[in-house]
Amino acid sequence: MAATAMLLLVMVYLFLNVHHTVGQVGVCYGNVADNLPSEQDVINLYKSNGIETMRLFNPNTAALQALQGSGIKTILGVVNGDLSGIASDPAAATNWVQTNVVPFASAIKYIAVGNEIHPDYAEAPAVLPAMQNILNALVANGLGGQILVSTAIDTSLFTNTYPPSASEFSNPGYITPIINFLTTNGSPLLVNIYPYFARISDPENIRLDYALFTAPGPVFSDSGRDYQNLFDAIVDGVFVALGKAGAPNVGVVVSETGWPSEGGADATVDNAGTYYRNAIGHVKQGTPLKPGGIETYLFAMFDEDNKPGAPSEHHFGLFTPNQQPKYGALNFNP
């Protein structure tokens, strides 16, 4: 009876949690920079702009402290470098949870165990056991069901993505056990989705207006569904791949999406502003396959001058480091 009652409580929590956040728009708080405001000022900027959800890529204690009482919920990341230790030692997972989660639990919504781990990475074998050890530590501290455990992947883990109905996971041996974990525990799959990178990798076949949500009509149809923007096509490809992997009911959270304002092809202030405004307005509608809203996190709050990679990686911010909006006033809760 006690187990049945607990299961019912978890199901009620998940129902309320999912239905509260359908189509919600959050913003990633990256801090690979040396010129950003204090954590308290950043949280105040979130609040003043009506941004109710955040993604933290690492357990920044000052940010977690500033979140307390703010009403803002966060995805909290376990950094890739910590995965092996947490996977191999349950005590390390317990310590991580007791240090970074328990004091701040009211502000934490999901824990992302690793970010964009590919099957051939050294950390790949550690992802699932680290997820399980983090979940066990949450349960031991009375937080099982309140905080959901997942991992964030990128779209390189999919193949045959056009049309969306052909999409599938490229390495089932790696991802299927992870998906089974998500199914068992009622967690969504976190996916980083960037129409920008798809566009610049294949500009002859991917129209700019299709990538920016500005196409005047459907660009193609697939299985009776019309696609007018690339974001929807990518997201629906994720849902299709989950279905083929035996997990049609696993939810999808877009844990990153964005467009740079300079530093690469099609990276302009006009294009970036168009993408962010249209993404905010669109995600509450859901997709042709899954109408009703997709919880989405824009990347990112600030430009990050120390981020490695292409020059465009420095220019995904919605705000400048002095807290000025790059694209005018954005309505994060349309």
Side-chain angles (χ1 to χ4, degrees), residues 8 18 31 82 105 113 122 158 176 194 197 220 225 247 261 318 333:
L8 180 60
V18 168
N31 55 6
D82 288 346
V113 181
F158 301 89
T176 300
Y194 284 93
F197 292 117
F220 73 94
R225 293 180 286 271
S261 59
L318 297 171
N333 293 285

Side-chain angles (χ1 to χ4, degrees), residues 25 213 231 257 274-284 298:
V25 176
F213 300 93
F231 180 92
T257 193
T274 296
Y275 183 81
Y276 287 117
R277 282 190 294 271
N278 289 339
I280 291 168
H282 179 77
V283 297
K284 290 186 181 297
L298 306 180

Side-chain angles (χ1 to χ4, degrees), residues 110-176:
Y110 309 122
I111 295 178
V113 181
N115 184 56
E116 298 186 347
I117 302 294
H118 296 178
D120 58 344
Y121 284 12
E123 301 95 340
V127 174
L128 181 58
M131 293 170 69
Q132 187 63 62
N133 284 346
I134 289 290
L135 176 60
N136 292 345
L138 290 173
V139 171
N141 284 275
L143 297 171
Q146 177 180 332
I147 298 172
L148 303 180
V149 177
S150 187
T151 188
I153 67 171
D154 62 27
T155 53
S156 70
L157 270 62
F158 301 89
T159 189
N160 301 325
T161 54
Y162 179 84
S165 61
S167 182
E168 57 189 347
F169 288 104
S170 55
N171 192 319
Y174 169 66
I175 199 67
T176 300

Side-chain angles (χ1 to χ4, degrees), residues 2-281:
T4 301
M6 178 58 73
L7 178 61
L8 180 60
L9 287 173
V10 170
M11 291 176 63
V12 169
Y13 169 81
L14 292 174
F15 176 85
L16 293 174
N17 189 57
V18 168
H19 284 262
H20 173 69
T21 59
V22 163
Q24 190 170 34
V25 176
V27 179
C28 300
Y29 175 18
N31 55 6
V32 187
D34 55 16
N35 56 357
L36 299 184
S38 71
E39 286 83 355
Q40 185 61 64
D41 286 344
V42 172
I43 302 310
N44 291 342
L45 186 62
Y46 271 72
K47 290 175 64 177
S48 66
N49 282 274
I51 305 169
E52 298 177 350
T53 49
M54 166 190 292
R55 182 177 177 190
L56 272 175
F57 293 92
N58 61 311
N60 179 328
T61 301
L64 289 166
Q65 290 173 337
L67 282 169
Q68 299 309 291
S70 68
I72 297 169
K73 296 282 189 178
T74 189
I75 302 174
L76 178 61
V78 178
V79 298
N80 294 353
D82 288 346
L83 295 181
S84 294
I86 289 173
S88 61
D89 184 4
T94 297
N95 180 66
W96 194 94
V97 166
Q98 290 180 341
T99 301
N100 302 310
V101 178
V102 173
F104 314 110
S106 63
I108 299 172
K109 183 174 185 180
Y110 309 122
I111 295 178
V113 181
N115 184 56
E116 298 186 347
I117 302 294
H118 296 178
D120 58 344
Y121 284 12
E123 301 95 340
V127 174
L128 181 58
M131 293 170 69
Q132 187 63 62
N133 284 346
I134 289 290
L135 176 60
N136 292 345
L138 290 173
V139 171
N141 284 275
L143 297 171
Q146 177 180 332
I147 298 172
L148 303 180
V149 177
S150 187
T151 188
I153 67 171
D154 62 27
T155 53
S156 70
L157 270 62
F158 301 89
T159 189
N160 301 325
T161 54
Y162 179 84
S165 61
S167 182
E168 57 189 347
F169 288 104
S170 55
N171 192 319
Y174 169 66
I175 199 67
T176 300
I178 292 172
I179 293 170
N180 291 341
F181 172 96
L182 302 178
T183 301
T184 299
N185 295 290
S187 295
L189 179 63
L190 310 181
V191 188
N192 301 338
I193 290 176
Y194 284 93
Y196 171 74
F197 292 117
R199 156 69 184 174
I200 65 170
S201 70
D202 190 11
E204 291 187 4
N205 293 307
I206 297 177
R207 291 166 26 186
L208 181 61
D209 62 351
Y210 177 58
L212 292 174
F213 300 93
T214 57
V219 175
F220 73 94
S221 295
D222 177 30
S223 302
R225 293 180 286 271
D226 291 334
Y227 287 89
Q228 197 165 338
N229 66 81
L230 181 55
F231 180 92
D232 282 354
I234 297 173
V235 172
D236 277 357
V238 176
F239 281 118
V240 168
L242 284 168
K244 292 178 180 178
N249 296 319
V250 167
V252 171
V253 170
V254 177
S255 43
E256 296 178 26
T257 193
W259 196 286
S261 59
E262 61 178 283
D266 294 326
T268 68
V269 170
D270 283 347
N271 285 345
T274 296
Y275 183 81
Y276 287 117
R277 282 190 294 271
N278 289 339
I280 291 168

